[in-house]
Amino acid sequence: MIIEAEKEFIRGEINLDFTNKLIAKVNHHSPDELKIITARAAYNAGKVDKDYFLKCYEIAQNYLIPSEENHIKAEGYHFAALSLDNTLENKSKKYHYFTQALKLSKNNNILYSKIATSYAGFLSFENEADKKMIAKDLFLESIKIKESLPIKDLPGLARAYGGLGRLYLFSKPCNCDKAIEYLNKTIFLKHDFPMAYFLKANSLLRLERIA
């Protein structure tokens, strides 16, 4: 099941029947790899059916966060943060989960850079200038790590560049040149990224460069 789950993830497929089988199979005695893969599958399934976000949250709370291994706990806190919506009552939980995940993943560059991108994305939607500054620093830190890896996570790198581009676009005042620079990098790395094209067009409109 682990191999098949990895194949579906690489292909970008969301198979609810297979996700249900993973959820039914996973338990406290399952290998950590299966627990993480099941949480990831449930999170991705939540993009189709939001009920799966709750499944992801439960897997994180019940099977990952209680682990004695820091990187497993970090995965748990990361999935717990991702699976909660951005309602006011959940924001404090998300801050806690993201900061715990970052702290616990400090010695794992690949995991840390993934979590940093997620946390930066969350912070970039906040209104406070200090949170946007933290988001920028996290995006840049994530990009630096991803660029240094011998085998690069190109989709993850595209997301980090895209998040940074969006942050510059909606900064006050808009730093549209910087936004376009990073959005171009996003599009170069991941051509099928509709939001990057939309944000780039928005940036160009603000600069009055579209005839």
Side-chain angles (χ1 to χ4, degrees):
M1 291 188 83
I2 290 174
I3 294 173
E4 182 57 33
E6 289 291 5
K7 287 180 179 178
E8 292 204 0
F9 177 68
I10 292 169
R11 292 192 295 260
E13 296 177 357
I14 297 175
N15 184 327
L16 297 185
D17 288 337
F18 186 69
T19 299
N20 289 334
K21 289 178 183 177
L22 287 171
I23 293 169
K25 184 176 180 62
V26 74
N27 58 58
H28 288 285
H29 304 293
S30 299
D32 288 333
E33 186 179 5
L34 180 61
K35 294 174 183 176
I36 292 169
I37 283 173
T38 304
R40 185 182 69 195
Y43 171 71
N44 286 331
K47 299 169 186 176
V48 176
D49 180 345
K50 291 185 177 181
D51 287 344
Y52 284 94
F53 285 139
L54 177 58
K55 295 290 186 184
C56 176
Y57 186 80
E58 290 172 346
I59 293 164
Q61 291 286 353
N62 294 333
Y63 304 138
L64 298 176
I65 292 174
S67 173
E68 295 180 359
E69 299 290 335
N70 280 352
H71 70 286
I72 304 298
K73 290 176 77 73
E75 291 274 17
Y77 281 118
H78 186 211
F79 280 119
L82 290 174
S83 61
L84 291 176
D85 59 29
N86 289 333
T87 55
L88 189 59
E89 62 265 30
N90 281 336
K91 280 194 174 183
S92 60
K93 287 183 181 179
K94 289 175 77 79
Y95 284 124
H96 172 69
Y97 293 149
F98 273 128
T99 53
Q100 287 298 309
L102 273 184
K103 182 171 70 174
L104 290 164
S105 62
K106 266 291 187 182
N107 296 322
N108 184 322
N109 276 347
I110 294 174
L111 180 57
Y112 180 86
S113 66
K114 179 175 69 173
I115 294 167
T117 298
S118 298
Y119 189 22
F122 169 63
L123 290 174
S124 69
F125 283 91
E126 297 294 88
N127 294 321
E128 297 88 344
D130 60 328
K131 290 176 181 174
K132 290 184 180 295
M133 184 62 67
I134 295 171
K136 185 185 81 168
D137 290 344
L138 286 171
F139 277 132
L140 290 171
E141 189 177 8
S142 177
I143 288 167
K144 183 178 179 181
I145 292 170
K146 292 178 187 300
E147 289 281 17
S148 70
L149 296 173
I151 300 176
K152 292 181 173 54
D153 170 19
L154 297 183
L157 195 54
R159 283 192 295 274
Y161 277 129
L164 194 54
R166 182 195 174 282
L167 188 65
Y168 278 118
L169 170 60
F170 293 109
S171 60
K172 295 180 181 179
C174 171
N175 191 336
C176 296
D177 288 313
K178 274 288 187 184
I180 292 167
E181 175 189 343
Y182 287 116
L183 291 167
N184 279 338
K185 290 182 178 182
T186 302
I187 293 165
F188 176 77
L189 291 168
K190 192 169 177 14
H191 301 302
D192 56 337
F193 202 144
M195 182 55 68
Y197 292 97
F198 172 78
L199 293 173
K200 181 181 176 182
N202 196 322
S203 302
L204 289 168
L205 281 169
R206 291 190 182 206
L207 288 172
E208 298 181 346
R209 289 182 180 171
I210 293 182

